[in-house]
């Protein structure tokens, strides 16, 4: 899909929002193809919400506790995202698993960033899992979201060498630097109409 007008993206987050920040910086660059029009957090004190306010982006805290079940919670997010005519949803440290209800509403229009080279080390604490396994190379992955855990088609990856002195913090820091490169890049490619999903593969056109 190639956009005739500026694309509209939303960020779902739960924490400090450094990936959101990186995507935002890309969006305000000359010749970018998209704007971030909405930030949603499931945590009231998420740093990412404060950042959004600072950038003048509509930001909303939606507490899962205010809904009788997760379907109702997801439906409230879906309405908000549709009201804002969001083309692409970016998960950026959103610490809540989304059900098929949400995923199918935005089929092939949800991206996520994960701090490992998928399919290695899906799920929580990927950097710790990598260190405990003893891998010499780890990294990060931007992928489309399907109904599994970190299992959708891979868009971009960047590798990072581990060092014998690395702990979870130092490895996370090294990986994060690359997250901030590949996530904005993937979002940009999508809005330029250069990503095509073919089965498990994502084909990037020139
Ligand atoms: C990142 O490490 C990302 O890979 C993972 O959650 C973390 C979010 O960090 N999914 P931030 O809130 O974007 O700084």
């Amino acid at each position: 899909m190639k956009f005739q007008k500026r694309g509209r993206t939303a960020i779902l987050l739960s924490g400090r929002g450094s990936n959101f920040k990186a995507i935002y910086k890309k969006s305000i660059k000359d010749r970018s193809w998209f704007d971030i029009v909405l930030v949603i957090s499931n945590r009231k004190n998420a740093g990412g919400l404060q950042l959004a306010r600072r950038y003048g982006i509509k930001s909303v805290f939606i507490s899962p506790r205010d809904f009788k079940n997760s379907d109702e919670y997801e439906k409230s997010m879906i309405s908000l995202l549709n009201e804002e005519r969001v083309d692409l949803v970016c998960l950026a440290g959103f610490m809540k698993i989304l059900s098929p209800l949400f995923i199918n509403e935005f089929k092939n229009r949800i991206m996520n960033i994960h701090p490992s080279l998928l399919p290695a080390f899906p799920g929580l604490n990927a950097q710790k899992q990598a260190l405990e396994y003893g891998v010499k190379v780890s990294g990060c992955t931007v992928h489309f979201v399907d109904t599994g855990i970190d299992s959708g088609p891979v868009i971009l990856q960047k590798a990072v060498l581990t060092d014998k002195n690395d702990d979870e913090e130092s490895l996370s820091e090294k990986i994060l630097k690359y997250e901030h490169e590949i996530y904005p890049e993937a979002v940009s490619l999508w809005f330029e109409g250069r990503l095509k999903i073919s089965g498990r593969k994502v084909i990037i056109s020139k």
Side-chain angles (χ1 to χ4, degrees):
M1 154 165 54
K2 181 110 181 174
F3 283 82
Q4 303 303 321
K5 54 183 174 54
R6 284 181 74 73
R8 300 171 69 79
T9 188
I11 309 277
L12 269 54
L13 51 74
S14 307
R16 67 194 158 179
S18 71
N19 278 285
F20 156 46
K21 184 176 177 178
I23 297 168
Y24 171 74
K25 297 265 180 221
K26 182 95 178 177
S27 77
I28 58 170
K29 280 218 168 112
D30 284 354
R31 278 179 281 161
S32 96
W33 291 72
F34 66 95
D35 295 307
I36 299 175
V37 296
L38 177 66
V39 172
I40 300 178
S41 172
N42 64 329
R43 295 208 183 129
K44 193 175 182 181
N45 297 323
L49 280 179
Q50 284 170 31
L51 268 182
R53 278 180 223 122
R54 200 192 307 157
Y55 298 150
I57 297 171
K58 178 172 178 176
S59 58
V60 186
F61 159 57
I62 309 183
S63 172
R65 292 204 194 126
D66 292 345
F67 298 86
K68 65 173 190 290
N69 55 41
S70 66
D71 271 13
E72 296 304 314
Y73 176 68
E74 288 185 359
K75 280 184 199 160
S76 78
M77 289 203 290
I78 291 170
S79 320
L80 199 53
L81 291 161
N82 285 332
E83 262 168 43
E84 291 296 332
R85 291 171 287 115
V86 163
D87 303 303
L88 178 73
V89 177
C90 295
L91 309 183
F94 186 63
M95 302 303 285
K96 204 162 178 358
I97 291 169
L98 293 163
S99 80
L101 174 88
F102 187 95
I103 308 232
N104 292 329
E105 175 76 23
F106 300 100
K107 198 165 166 36
N108 297 336
R109 294 194 291 137
I110 310 174
M111 284 184 190
N112 183 40
I113 179 92
H114 185 76
S116 75
L117 291 177
L118 291 170
F121 316 123
L124 291 175
N125 308 318
Q127 302 93 330
K128 185 161 178 266
Q129 291 184 56
L131 287 174
E132 283 173 0
Y133 197 92
V135 293
K136 307 293 187 203
V137 181
S138 191
C140 47
T141 305
V142 185
H143 63 93
F144 283 109
V145 173
D146 65 9
T147 52
I149 304 283
D150 301 320
S151 58
V154 169
I155 304 168
L156 293 174
Q157 292 186 304
K158 201 98 185 191
V160 167
L161 295 180
T162 61
D163 180 275
K164 64 177 185 328
N165 299 319
D166 268 331
D167 57 15
E168 197 181 341
E169 197 186 325
S170 66
L171 181 60
S172 301
E173 203 177 303
K174 282 198 264 184
I175 293 174
L176 194 65
K177 188 167 156 264
Y178 290 111
E179 293 184 29
H180 296 163
E181 287 180 16
I182 64 172
Y183 208 177
E185 177 64 18
V187 173
S188 203
L189 286 169
W190 194 84
F191 280 108
E192 287 169 43
R194 291 169 61 194
L195 300 181
K196 189 170 150 251
I197 303 177
S198 169
R200 270 224 57 87
K201 293 185 185 155
V202 177
I203 296 155
I204 304 176
S205 58
K206 294 259 179 235

